[in-house]
Amino acid sequence: LALEVVLAPDAPIAAALPDYPGEGAHRVTVHQLLNHTSGLAQWDRVGSYQEAFVNGVEQYQRPMTPDALFRGSCSGRLERTRGTGFVYNNADYLVLGRIVERLTGMAYEEALAARILRPLGLGSTGMLRWDRIVPRLARTYFRRDDNGVLIADMPVYTENWDSAGGMYSTAADLARFADALYGGRLLRGAMLERVLTAGLGHDGHGRHAHGPRLPGLDPRPARPGHRPGHAPAHAAGAGLPVRPHLRP
């Protein structure tokens, strides 16, 4: 959308969402949403899985529409001065999802499919919902911090991650996506460089992942998330991190 000059990365939220009621409407930019320096309040407040075991995680264990997610996560006061520090926050991506919908005139899921998934031939990738049957969808699990035991992920409505990560995919599709991204088919030149450039000590636009460092990029290591608010990685048939195929 930025390449089509529909919305500049440094435009404020209100440029795309003039009815956005939050304090950051005219202060927080698209760029700050993308690199998690917006200062928006955290969508979930659970600090550990141990806390989630006791109290649950209402934001992900009660079904919510995208509009309810948006109103509940993104419409209040700023918690921090924008642009001054990195704090991973699903609320940033939820706002971005509504921006995509407003600019394309499509539901986020359809915009994603029309602009990325179908053109790249990613037939085994999509948005996940509790009532959809995805053949060969892998069960997700993790190792507890307190005792090191592997257990299944907590029951959640994956669609509540929405544009913050409510998707499934396969290792093959992830490799195709990586080829397209790093090969310049999705973004080019200065825009791709900006997406891949680390922000305030951490990641670029969405580069918050496991896996190897890439040649020529910032050498600081990426950090995996250990909060219940990070979407579980659902892979149909595989749940492995993917090394991008770097091609000329």
PDB file of all heavy atoms in Angstrom, residues 33-34 36 43 66 69-70 73-74 88-101 107-109 112 127-128 158-167 206 231:
ATOM      1  N   LEU A  33       3.687   1.888  14.521  1.00  0.00           N
ATOM      2  CA  LEU A  33       2.903   0.675  14.730  1.00  0.00           C
ATOM      3  C   LEU A  33       3.680  -0.544  14.242  1.00  0.00           C
ATOM      4  O   LEU A  33       3.705  -1.591  14.898  1.00  0.00           O
ATOM      5  CB  LEU A  33       1.573   0.762  13.981  1.00  0.00           C
ATOM      6  CG  LEU A  33       0.560   1.799  14.456  1.00  0.00           C
ATOM      7  CD1 LEU A  33      -0.598   1.897  13.462  1.00  0.00           C
ATOM      8  CD2 LEU A  33       0.025   1.454  15.847  1.00  0.00           C
ATOM      9  N   LEU A  34       4.317  -0.412  13.092  1.00  0.00           N
ATOM     10  CA  LEU A  34       5.022  -1.536  12.484  1.00  0.00           C
ATOM     11  C   LEU A  34       6.243  -1.966  13.285  1.00  0.00           C
ATOM     12  O   LEU A  34       6.574  -3.158  13.317  1.00  0.00           O
ATOM     13  CB  LEU A  34       5.441  -1.176  11.057  1.00  0.00           C
ATOM     14  CG  LEU A  34       4.326  -1.179  10.015  1.00  0.00           C
ATOM     15  CD1 LEU A  34       4.780  -0.463   8.752  1.00  0.00           C
ATOM     16  CD2 LEU A  34       3.898  -2.606   9.694  1.00  0.00           C
ATOM     17  N   HIS A  36       6.669  -1.376  16.609  1.00  0.00           N
ATOM     18  CA  HIS A  36       6.314  -1.490  18.030  1.00  0.00           C
ATOM     19  C   HIS A  36       6.940  -0.408  18.898  1.00  0.00           C
ATOM     20  O   HIS A  36       7.454  -0.667  19.983  1.00  0.00           O
ATOM     21  CB  HIS A  36       6.692  -2.873  18.554  1.00  0.00           C
ATOM     22  CG  HIS A  36       5.944  -3.995  17.911  1.00  0.00           C
ATOM     23  ND1 HIS A  36       4.580  -4.136  18.009  1.00  0.00           N
ATOM     24  CD2 HIS A  36       6.370  -5.019  17.127  1.00  0.00           C
ATOM     25  CE1 HIS A  36       4.199  -5.198  17.339  1.00  0.00           C
ATOM     26  NE2 HIS A  36       5.265  -5.746  16.782  1.00  0.00           N
ATOM     27  N   TRP A  43      -2.344  -4.942  24.779  1.00  0.00           N
ATOM     28  CA  TRP A  43      -3.654  -5.584  24.609  1.00  0.00           C
ATOM     29  C   TRP A  43      -3.889  -6.611  25.712  1.00  0.00           C
ATOM     30  O   TRP A  43      -4.972  -6.721  26.255  1.00  0.00           O
ATOM     31  CB  TRP A  43      -3.691  -6.238  23.226  1.00  0.00           C
ATOM     32  CG  TRP A  43      -4.778  -7.239  22.951  1.00  0.00           C
ATOM     33  CD1 TRP A  43      -4.616  -8.448  22.345  1.00  0.00           C
ATOM     34  CD2 TRP A  43      -6.176  -7.115  23.204  1.00  0.00           C
ATOM     35  NE1 TRP A  43      -5.822  -9.081  22.208  1.00  0.00           N
ATOM     36  CE2 TRP A  43      -6.804  -8.287  22.740  1.00  0.00           C
ATOM     37  CE3 TRP A  43      -6.963  -6.142  23.797  1.00  0.00           C
ATOM     38  CZ2 TRP A  43      -8.167  -8.507  22.841  1.00  0.00           C
ATOM     39  CZ3 TRP A  43      -8.330  -6.367  23.899  1.00  0.00           C
ATOM     40  CH2 TRP A  43      -8.912  -7.529  23.417  1.00  0.00           C
ATOM     41  N   PRO A  66     -13.452  -8.723  15.065  1.00  0.00           N
ATOM     42  CA  PRO A  66     -12.372  -7.750  14.845  1.00  0.00           C
ATOM     43  C   PRO A  66     -12.699  -6.370  15.396  1.00  0.00           C
ATOM     44  O   PRO A  66     -11.821  -5.696  15.942  1.00  0.00           O
ATOM     45  CB  PRO A  66     -12.226  -7.735  13.326  1.00  0.00           C
ATOM     46  CG  PRO A  66     -12.627  -9.110  12.906  1.00  0.00           C
ATOM     47  CD  PRO A  66     -13.769  -9.471  13.830  1.00  0.00           C
ATOM     48  N   LEU A  69     -12.206  -6.456  19.137  1.00  0.00           N
ATOM     49  CA  LEU A  69     -10.780  -6.454  19.422  1.00  0.00           C
ATOM     50  C   LEU A  69     -10.207  -5.053  19.292  1.00  0.00           C
ATOM     51  O   LEU A  69      -9.424  -4.589  20.123  1.00  0.00           O
ATOM     52  CB  LEU A  69     -10.055  -7.396  18.461  1.00  0.00           C
ATOM     53  CG  LEU A  69     -10.290  -8.889  18.637  1.00  0.00           C
ATOM     54  CD1 LEU A  69      -9.752  -9.652  17.431  1.00  0.00           C
ATOM     55  CD2 LEU A  69      -9.645  -9.388  19.912  1.00  0.00           C
ATOM     56  N   PHE A  70     -10.606  -4.378  18.229  1.00  0.00           N
ATOM     57  CA  PHE A  70     -10.099  -3.037  17.952  1.00  0.00           C
ATOM     58  C   PHE A  70     -10.509  -2.055  19.051  1.00  0.00           C
ATOM     59  O   PHE A  70      -9.683  -1.315  19.586  1.00  0.00           O
ATOM     60  CB  PHE A  70     -10.617  -2.574  16.599  1.00  0.00           C
ATOM     61  CG  PHE A  70     -10.152  -1.199  16.199  1.00  0.00           C
ATOM     62  CD1 PHE A  70      -8.825  -0.960  15.911  1.00  0.00           C
ATOM     63  CD2 PHE A  70     -11.051  -0.148  16.108  1.00  0.00           C
ATOM     64  CE1 PHE A  70      -8.395   0.298  15.537  1.00  0.00           C
ATOM     65  CE2 PHE A  70     -10.618   1.117  15.744  1.00  0.00           C
ATOM     66  CZ  PHE A  70      -9.294   1.337  15.449  1.00  0.00           C
ATOM     67  N   SER A  73      -8.674  -2.891  22.424  1.00  0.00           N
ATOM     68  CA  SER A  73      -7.222  -2.907  22.540  1.00  0.00           C
ATOM     69  C   SER A  73      -6.542  -1.617  22.144  1.00  0.00           C
ATOM     70  O   SER A  73      -5.389  -1.399  22.496  1.00  0.00           O
ATOM     71  CB  SER A  73      -6.648  -4.032  21.668  1.00  0.00           C
ATOM     72  OG  SER A  73      -6.854  -3.746  20.302  1.00  0.00           O
ATOM     73  N   CYS A  74      -7.208  -0.776  21.381  1.00  0.00           N
ATOM     74  CA  CYS A  74      -6.469   0.266  20.680  1.00  0.00           C
ATOM     75  C   CYS A  74      -7.029   1.669  20.845  1.00  0.00           C
ATOM     76  O   CYS A  74      -6.549   2.594  20.185  1.00  0.00           O
ATOM     77  CB  CYS A  74      -6.445  -0.040  19.176  1.00  0.00           C
ATOM     78  SG  CYS A  74      -6.120  -1.755  18.788  1.00  0.00           S
ATOM     79  N   TYR A  88       6.936  -5.007  22.257  1.00  0.00           N
ATOM     80  CA  TYR A  88       6.096  -5.815  21.370  1.00  0.00           C
ATOM     81  C   TYR A  88       4.648  -5.750  21.846  1.00  0.00           C
ATOM     82  O   TYR A  88       4.360  -5.931  23.023  1.00  0.00           O
ATOM     83  CB  TYR A  88       6.575  -7.271  21.348  1.00  0.00           C
ATOM     84  CG  TYR A  88       5.807  -8.105  20.352  1.00  0.00           C
ATOM     85  CD1 TYR A  88       6.249  -8.227  19.039  1.00  0.00           C
ATOM     86  CD2 TYR A  88       4.620  -8.732  20.714  1.00  0.00           C
ATOM     87  CE1 TYR A  88       5.537  -8.965  18.109  1.00  0.00           C
ATOM     88  CE2 TYR A  88       3.899  -9.468  19.795  1.00  0.00           C
ATOM     89  CZ  TYR A  88       4.364  -9.582  18.497  1.00  0.00           C
ATOM     90  OH  TYR A  88       3.639 -10.299  17.584  1.00  0.00           O
ATOM     91  N   ASN A  89       3.729  -5.499  20.914  1.00  0.00           N
ATOM     92  CA  ASN A  89       2.348  -5.244  21.298  1.00  0.00           C
ATOM     93  C   ASN A  89       1.418  -5.675  20.174  1.00  0.00           C
ATOM     94  O   ASN A  89       1.449  -5.124  19.069  1.00  0.00           O
ATOM     95  CB  ASN A  89       2.167  -3.747  21.587  1.00  0.00           C
ATOM     96  CG  ASN A  89       0.817  -3.435  22.210  1.00  0.00           C
ATOM     97  OD1 ASN A  89      -0.045  -4.311  22.345  1.00  0.00           O
ATOM     98  ND2 ASN A  89       0.627  -2.185  22.589  1.00  0.00           N
ATOM     99  N   ASN A  90       0.561  -6.659  20.442  1.00  0.00           N
ATOM    100  CA  ASN A  90      -0.406  -7.091  19.439  1.00  0.00           C
ATOM    101  C   ASN A  90      -1.364  -5.979  19.034  1.00  0.00           C
ATOM    102  O   ASN A  90      -1.889  -5.979  17.920  1.00  0.00           O
ATOM    103  CB  ASN A  90      -1.202  -8.284  19.962  1.00  0.00           C
ATOM    104  CG  ASN A  90      -0.393  -9.564  19.979  1.00  0.00           C
ATOM    105  OD1 ASN A  90       0.574  -9.712  19.245  1.00  0.00           O
ATOM    106  ND2 ASN A  90      -0.766 -10.494  20.846  1.00  0.00           N
ATOM    107  N   ALA A  91      -1.603  -5.022  19.920  1.00  0.00           N
ATOM    108  CA  ALA A  91      -2.509  -3.917  19.588  1.00  0.00           C
ATOM    109  C   ALA A  91      -2.023  -3.140  18.372  1.00  0.00           C
ATOM    110  O   ALA A  91      -2.832  -2.651  17.567  1.00  0.00           O
ATOM    111  CB  ALA A  91      -2.653  -2.978  20.790  1.00  0.00           C
ATOM    112  N   ASP A  92      -0.707  -3.011  18.201  1.00  0.00           N
ATOM    113  CA  ASP A  92      -0.171  -2.317  17.036  1.00  0.00           C
ATOM    114  C   ASP A  92      -0.651  -2.974  15.751  1.00  0.00           C
ATOM    115  O   ASP A  92      -1.090  -2.308  14.806  1.00  0.00           O
ATOM    116  CB  ASP A  92       1.358  -2.321  17.062  1.00  0.00           C
ATOM    117  CG  ASP A  92       1.932  -1.485  18.192  1.00  0.00           C
ATOM    118  OD1 ASP A  92       1.276  -0.530  18.620  1.00  0.00           O
ATOM    119  OD2 ASP A  92       3.051  -1.792  18.647  1.00  0.00           O
ATOM    120  N   TYR A  93      -0.583  -4.298  15.697  1.00  0.00           N
ATOM    121  CA  TYR A  93      -0.983  -5.021  14.497  1.00  0.00           C
ATOM    122  C   TYR A  93      -2.496  -5.023  14.309  1.00  0.00           C
ATOM    123  O   TYR A  93      -2.992  -5.079  13.180  1.00  0.00           O
ATOM    124  CB  TYR A  93      -0.461  -6.455  14.543  1.00  0.00           C
ATOM    125  CG  TYR A  93       1.017  -6.575  14.305  1.00  0.00           C
ATOM    126  CD1 TYR A  93       1.780  -7.487  15.030  1.00  0.00           C
ATOM    127  CD2 TYR A  93       1.661  -5.791  13.355  1.00  0.00           C
ATOM    128  CE1 TYR A  93       3.137  -7.615  14.810  1.00  0.00           C
ATOM    129  CE2 TYR A  93       3.018  -5.915  13.130  1.00  0.00           C
ATOM    130  CZ  TYR A  93       3.753  -6.822  13.857  1.00  0.00           C
ATOM    131  OH  TYR A  93       5.099  -6.946  13.635  1.00  0.00           O
ATOM    132  N   LEU A  94      -3.250  -4.986  15.405  1.00  0.00           N
ATOM    133  CA  LEU A  94      -4.703  -4.912  15.274  1.00  0.00           C
ATOM    134  C   LEU A  94      -5.113  -3.588  14.631  1.00  0.00           C
ATOM    135  O   LEU A  94      -6.021  -3.550  13.791  1.00  0.00           O
ATOM    136  CB  LEU A  94      -5.363  -5.078  16.640  1.00  0.00           C
ATOM    137  CG  LEU A  94      -5.204  -6.456  17.293  1.00  0.00           C
ATOM    138  CD1 LEU A  94      -5.809  -6.459  18.691  1.00  0.00           C
ATOM    139  CD2 LEU A  94      -5.836  -7.542  16.436  1.00  0.00           C
ATOM    140  N   VAL A  95      -4.454  -2.504  15.004  1.00  0.00           N
ATOM    141  CA  VAL A  95      -4.725  -1.214  14.360  1.00  0.00           C
ATOM    142  C   VAL A  95      -4.339  -1.277  12.884  1.00  0.00           C
ATOM    143  O   VAL A  95      -5.082  -0.817  12.008  1.00  0.00           O
ATOM    144  CB  VAL A  95      -3.972  -0.071  15.060  1.00  0.00           C
ATOM    145  CG1 VAL A  95      -4.168   1.242  14.309  1.00  0.00           C
ATOM    146  CG2 VAL A  95      -4.453   0.086  16.499  1.00  0.00           C
ATOM    147  N   LEU A  96      -3.183  -1.869  12.589  1.00  0.00           N
ATOM    148  CA  LEU A  96      -2.740  -1.981  11.200  1.00  0.00           C
ATOM    149  C   LEU A  96      -3.732  -2.791  10.369  1.00  0.00           C
ATOM    150  O   LEU A  96      -3.973  -2.485   9.197  1.00  0.00           O
ATOM    151  CB  LEU A  96      -1.357  -2.618  11.138  1.00  0.00           C
ATOM    152  CG  LEU A  96      -0.209  -1.733  11.626  1.00  0.00           C
ATOM    153  CD1 LEU A  96       1.041  -2.568  11.889  1.00  0.00           C
ATOM    154  CD2 LEU A  96       0.098  -0.634  10.611  1.00  0.00           C
ATOM    155  N   GLY A  97      -4.314  -3.820  10.965  1.00  0.00           N
ATOM    156  CA  GLY A  97      -5.310  -4.603  10.246  1.00  0.00           C
ATOM    157  C   GLY A  97      -6.512  -3.781   9.848  1.00  0.00           C
ATOM    158  O   GLY A  97      -7.047  -3.905   8.733  1.00  0.00           O
ATOM    159  N   ARG A  98      -6.959  -2.894  10.744  1.00  0.00           N
ATOM    160  CA  ARG A  98      -8.101  -2.040  10.410  1.00  0.00           C
ATOM    161  C   ARG A  98      -7.707  -1.002   9.352  1.00  0.00           C
ATOM    162  O   ARG A  98      -8.522  -0.610   8.518  1.00  0.00           O
ATOM    163  CB  ARG A  98      -8.604  -1.341  11.668  1.00  0.00           C
ATOM    164  CG  ARG A  98      -8.940  -2.256  12.835  1.00  0.00           C
ATOM    165  CD  ARG A  98     -10.133  -3.168  12.595  1.00  0.00           C
ATOM    166  NE  ARG A  98      -9.895  -4.286  11.714  1.00  0.00           N
ATOM    167  CZ  ARG A  98      -9.231  -5.407  12.062  1.00  0.00           C
ATOM    168  NH1 ARG A  98      -8.679  -5.520  13.261  1.00  0.00           N
ATOM    169  NH2 ARG A  98      -9.097  -6.400  11.212  1.00  0.00           N
ATOM    170  N   ILE A  99      -6.447  -0.553   9.376  1.00  0.00           N
ATOM    171  CA  ILE A  99      -5.971   0.374   8.348  1.00  0.00           C
ATOM    172  C   ILE A  99      -6.001  -0.303   6.983  1.00  0.00           C
ATOM    173  O   ILE A  99      -6.457   0.276   5.987  1.00  0.00           O
ATOM    174  CB  ILE A  99      -4.559   0.881   8.682  1.00  0.00           C
ATOM    175  CG1 ILE A  99      -4.614   1.840   9.876  1.00  0.00           C
ATOM    176  CG2 ILE A  99      -3.918   1.564   7.481  1.00  0.00           C
ATOM    177  CD1 ILE A  99      -3.260   2.312  10.359  1.00  0.00           C
ATOM    178  N   VAL A 100      -5.545  -1.552   6.912  1.00  0.00           N
ATOM    179  CA  VAL A 100      -5.579  -2.301   5.656  1.00  0.00           C
ATOM    180  C   VAL A 100      -7.016  -2.414   5.151  1.00  0.00           C
ATOM    181  O   VAL A 100      -7.292  -2.229   3.954  1.00  0.00           O
ATOM    182  CB  VAL A 100      -4.944  -3.694   5.847  1.00  0.00           C
ATOM    183  CG1 VAL A 100      -5.231  -4.596   4.642  1.00  0.00           C
ATOM    184  CG2 VAL A 100      -3.445  -3.572   6.070  1.00  0.00           C
ATOM    185  N   GLU A 101      -7.931  -2.728   6.046  1.00  0.00           N
ATOM    186  CA  GLU A 101      -9.334  -2.856   5.640  1.00  0.00           C
ATOM    187  C   GLU A 101      -9.887  -1.547   5.101  1.00  0.00           C
ATOM    188  O   GLU A 101     -10.593  -1.523   4.070  1.00  0.00           O
ATOM    189  CB  GLU A 101     -10.171  -3.333   6.827  1.00  0.00           C
ATOM    190  CG  GLU A 101      -9.879  -4.764   7.226  1.00  0.00           C
ATOM    191  CD  GLU A 101     -10.753  -5.242   8.371  1.00  0.00           C
ATOM    192  OE1 GLU A 101     -11.228  -4.406   9.173  1.00  0.00           O
ATOM    193  OE2 GLU A 101     -10.965  -6.464   8.464  1.00  0.00           O
ATOM    194  N   ALA A 107     -12.288  -7.003   3.829  1.00  0.00           N
ATOM    195  CA  ALA A 107     -11.950  -7.592   5.121  1.00  0.00           C
ATOM    196  C   ALA A 107     -10.470  -7.943   5.112  1.00  0.00           C
ATOM    197  O   ALA A 107      -9.900  -8.268   4.063  1.00  0.00           O
ATOM    198  CB  ALA A 107     -12.786  -8.830   5.375  1.00  0.00           C
ATOM    199  N   TYR A 108      -9.831  -7.909   6.265  1.00  0.00           N
ATOM    200  CA  TYR A 108      -8.395  -8.159   6.327  1.00  0.00           C
ATOM    201  C   TYR A 108      -8.038  -9.506   5.697  1.00  0.00           C
ATOM    202  O   TYR A 108      -7.067  -9.611   4.936  1.00  0.00           O
ATOM    203  CB  TYR A 108      -7.912  -8.118   7.782  1.00  0.00           C
ATOM    204  CG  TYR A 108      -6.449  -8.447   7.923  1.00  0.00           C
ATOM    205  CD1 TYR A 108      -5.469  -7.505   7.630  1.00  0.00           C
ATOM    206  CD2 TYR A 108      -6.035  -9.725   8.317  1.00  0.00           C
ATOM    207  CE1 TYR A 108      -4.122  -7.807   7.731  1.00  0.00           C
ATOM    208  CE2 TYR A 108      -4.689 -10.031   8.427  1.00  0.00           C
ATOM    209  CZ  TYR A 108      -3.748  -9.067   8.129  1.00  0.00           C
ATOM    210  OH  TYR A 108      -2.411  -9.375   8.217  1.00  0.00           O
ATOM    211  N   GLU A 109      -8.815 -10.528   5.996  1.00  0.00           N
ATOM    212  CA  GLU A 109      -8.522 -11.855   5.468  1.00  0.00           C
ATOM    213  C   GLU A 109      -8.531 -11.856   3.943  1.00  0.00           C
ATOM    214  O   GLU A 109      -7.657 -12.460   3.308  1.00  0.00           O
ATOM    215  CB  GLU A 109      -9.539 -12.868   5.994  1.00  0.00           C
ATOM    216  CG  GLU A 109      -9.306 -14.276   5.512  1.00  0.00           C
ATOM    217  CD  GLU A 109     -10.239 -15.278   6.162  1.00  0.00           C
ATOM    218  OE1 GLU A 109     -11.189 -14.866   6.851  1.00  0.00           O
ATOM    219  OE2 GLU A 109     -10.004 -16.496   5.981  1.00  0.00           O
ATOM    220  N   LEU A 112      -5.510  -9.863   2.521  1.00  0.00           N
ATOM    221  CA  LEU A 112      -4.304 -10.673   2.637  1.00  0.00           C
ATOM    222  C   LEU A 112      -4.239 -11.706   1.515  1.00  0.00           C
ATOM    223  O   LEU A 112      -3.201 -11.887   0.871  1.00  0.00           O
ATOM    224  CB  LEU A 112      -4.282 -11.371   3.997  1.00  0.00           C
ATOM    225  CG  LEU A 112      -3.112 -12.292   4.302  1.00  0.00           C
ATOM    226  CD1 LEU A 112      -1.820 -11.515   4.442  1.00  0.00           C
ATOM    227  CD2 LEU A 112      -3.393 -13.102   5.571  1.00  0.00           C
ATOM    228  N   MET A 127      -5.986 -17.559   7.304  1.00  0.00           N
ATOM    229  CA  MET A 127      -6.402 -17.185   8.646  1.00  0.00           C
ATOM    230  C   MET A 127      -7.093 -18.379   9.299  1.00  0.00           C
ATOM    231  O   MET A 127      -7.869 -19.095   8.659  1.00  0.00           O
ATOM    232  CB  MET A 127      -7.360 -15.994   8.594  1.00  0.00           C
ATOM    233  CG  MET A 127      -6.776 -14.748   7.950  1.00  0.00           C
ATOM    234  SD  MET A 127      -5.369 -14.045   8.848  1.00  0.00           S
ATOM    235  CE  MET A 127      -6.183 -13.386  10.308  1.00  0.00           C
ATOM    236  N   LEU A 128      -6.809 -18.590  10.562  1.00  0.00           N
ATOM    237  CA  LEU A 128      -7.323 -19.746  11.282  1.00  0.00           C
ATOM    238  C   LEU A 128      -8.476 -19.332  12.187  1.00  0.00           C
ATOM    239  O   LEU A 128      -8.415 -18.303  12.868  1.00  0.00           O
ATOM    240  CB  LEU A 128      -6.201 -20.372  12.112  1.00  0.00           C
ATOM    241  CG  LEU A 128      -6.477 -21.719  12.760  1.00  0.00           C
ATOM    242  CD1 LEU A 128      -6.748 -22.774  11.703  1.00  0.00           C
ATOM    243  CD2 LEU A 128      -5.290 -22.141  13.622  1.00  0.00           C
ATOM    244  N   THR A 158      -7.976 -18.740  18.131  1.00  0.00           N
ATOM    245  CA  THR A 158      -6.851 -18.201  17.373  1.00  0.00           C
ATOM    246  C   THR A 158      -7.250 -16.969  16.576  1.00  0.00           C
ATOM    247  O   THR A 158      -6.436 -16.070  16.359  1.00  0.00           O
ATOM    248  CB  THR A 158      -6.286 -19.277  16.427  1.00  0.00           C
ATOM    249  OG1 THR A 158      -5.983 -20.446  17.185  1.00  0.00           O
ATOM    250  CG2 THR A 158      -5.017 -18.785  15.741  1.00  0.00           C
ATOM    251  N   GLU A 159      -8.509 -16.890  16.148  1.00  0.00           N
ATOM    252  CA  GLU A 159      -8.947 -15.722  15.372  1.00  0.00           C
ATOM    253  C   GLU A 159      -8.857 -14.428  16.169  1.00  0.00           C
ATOM    254  O   GLU A 159      -8.882 -13.331  15.597  1.00  0.00           O
ATOM    255  CB  GLU A 159     -10.370 -15.909  14.848  1.00  0.00           C
ATOM    256  CG  GLU A 159     -11.430 -16.094  15.916  1.00  0.00           C
ATOM    257  CD  GLU A 159     -11.731 -17.554  16.201  1.00  0.00           C
ATOM    258  OE1 GLU A 159     -10.778 -18.372  16.174  1.00  0.00           O
ATOM    259  OE2 GLU A 159     -12.906 -17.869  16.472  1.00  0.00           O
ATOM    260  N   ASN A 160      -8.745 -14.513  17.498  1.00  0.00           N
ATOM    261  CA  ASN A 160      -8.600 -13.299  18.301  1.00  0.00           C
ATOM    262  C   ASN A 160      -7.233 -12.635  18.099  1.00  0.00           C
ATOM    263  O   ASN A 160      -7.045 -11.487  18.502  1.00  0.00           O
ATOM    264  CB  ASN A 160      -8.809 -13.604  19.783  1.00  0.00           C
ATOM    265  CG  ASN A 160     -10.279 -13.806  20.125  1.00  0.00           C
ATOM    266  OD1 ASN A 160     -11.116 -13.984  19.242  1.00  0.00           O
ATOM    267  ND2 ASN A 160     -10.609 -13.790  21.399  1.00  0.00           N
ATOM    268  N   TRP A 161      -6.276 -13.352  17.502  1.00  0.00           N
ATOM    269  CA  TRP A 161      -5.024 -12.697  17.133  1.00  0.00           C
ATOM    270  C   TRP A 161      -5.194 -11.888  15.853  1.00  0.00           C
ATOM    271  O   TRP A 161      -4.427 -10.988  15.597  1.00  0.00           O
ATOM    272  CB  TRP A 161      -3.903 -13.722  16.973  1.00  0.00           C
ATOM    273  CG  TRP A 161      -3.186 -14.022  18.246  1.00  0.00           C
ATOM    274  CD1 TRP A 161      -2.152 -13.309  18.793  1.00  0.00           C
ATOM    275  CD2 TRP A 161      -3.433 -15.094  19.147  1.00  0.00           C
ATOM    276  NE1 TRP A 161      -1.744 -13.882  19.966  1.00  0.00           N
ATOM    277  CE2 TRP A 161      -2.514 -14.990  20.213  1.00  0.00           C
ATOM    278  CE3 TRP A 161      -4.359 -16.152  19.159  1.00  0.00           C
ATOM    279  CZ2 TRP A 161      -2.483 -15.892  21.273  1.00  0.00           C
ATOM    280  CZ3 TRP A 161      -4.320 -17.049  20.209  1.00  0.00           C
ATOM    281  CH2 TRP A 161      -3.394 -16.911  21.250  1.00  0.00           C
ATOM    282  N   ASP A 162      -6.181 -12.253  15.045  1.00  0.00           N
ATOM    283  CA  ASP A 162      -6.552 -11.473  13.860  1.00  0.00           C
ATOM    284  C   ASP A 162      -5.291 -11.063  13.085  1.00  0.00           C
ATOM    285  O   ASP A 162      -4.448 -11.891  12.794  1.00  0.00           O
ATOM    286  CB  ASP A 162      -7.392 -10.275  14.290  1.00  0.00           C
ATOM    287  CG  ASP A 162      -8.078  -9.570  13.129  1.00  0.00           C
ATOM    288  OD1 ASP A 162      -8.820 -10.237  12.390  1.00  0.00           O
ATOM    289  OD2 ASP A 162      -7.869  -8.363  12.961  1.00  0.00           O
ATOM    290  N   SER A 163      -5.141  -9.794  12.800  1.00  0.00           N
ATOM    291  CA  SER A 163      -4.005  -9.315  12.011  1.00  0.00           C
ATOM    292  C   SER A 163      -2.703  -9.296  12.804  1.00  0.00           C
ATOM    293  O   SER A 163      -1.648  -8.960  12.259  1.00  0.00           O
ATOM    294  CB  SER A 163      -4.289  -7.917  11.454  1.00  0.00           C
ATOM    295  OG  SER A 163      -4.717  -7.035  12.474  1.00  0.00           O
ATOM    296  N   ALA A 164      -2.754  -9.696  14.074  1.00  0.00           N
ATOM    297  CA  ALA A 164      -1.538  -9.797  14.879  1.00  0.00           C
ATOM    298  C   ALA A 164      -0.928 -11.190  14.816  1.00  0.00           C
ATOM    299  O   ALA A 164       0.067 -11.446  15.496  1.00  0.00           O
ATOM    300  CB  ALA A 164      -1.822  -9.429  16.336  1.00  0.00           C
ATOM    301  N   GLY A 165      -1.513 -12.099  14.002  1.00  0.00           N
ATOM    302  CA  GLY A 165      -0.887 -13.403  13.861  1.00  0.00           C
ATOM    303  C   GLY A 165      -1.815 -14.593  13.893  1.00  0.00           C
ATOM    304  O   GLY A 165      -1.354 -15.705  14.155  1.00  0.00           O
ATOM    305  N   GLY A 166      -3.107 -14.418  13.612  1.00  0.00           N
ATOM    306  CA  GLY A 166      -4.047 -15.531  13.665  1.00  0.00           C
ATOM    307  C   GLY A 166      -4.035 -16.352  12.394  1.00  0.00           C
ATOM    308  O   GLY A 166      -5.069 -16.504  11.743  1.00  0.00           O
ATOM    309  N   MET A 167      -2.894 -16.919  12.036  1.00  0.00           N
ATOM    310  CA  MET A 167      -2.737 -17.611  10.761  1.00  0.00           C
ATOM    311  C   MET A 167      -2.183 -19.022  10.942  1.00  0.00           C
ATOM    312  O   MET A 167      -1.689 -19.376  12.006  1.00  0.00           O
ATOM    313  CB  MET A 167      -1.787 -16.816   9.841  1.00  0.00           C
ATOM    314  CG  MET A 167      -2.260 -15.430   9.493  1.00  0.00           C
ATOM    315  SD  MET A 167      -1.094 -14.579   8.390  1.00  0.00           S
ATOM    316  CE  MET A 167      -1.271 -15.594   6.889  1.00  0.00           C
ATOM    317  N   GLY A 206       7.997  -5.932  11.763  1.00  0.00           N
ATOM    318  CA  GLY A 206       7.492  -7.278  11.874  1.00  0.00           C
ATOM    319  C   GLY A 206       8.556  -8.354  11.916  1.00  0.00           C
ATOM    320  O   GLY A 206       8.229  -9.523  12.006  1.00  0.00           O
ATOM    321  N   ALA A 231       1.178 -15.105  19.461  1.00  0.00           N
ATOM    322  CA  ALA A 231       0.359 -16.130  18.821  1.00  0.00           C
ATOM    323  C   ALA A 231       1.123 -17.438  18.709  1.00  0.00           C
ATOM    324  O   ALA A 231       2.283 -17.456  18.366  1.00  0.00           O
ATOM    325  CB  ALA A 231      -0.059 -15.666  17.427  1.00  0.00           C
TER     326      ALA A 231
END
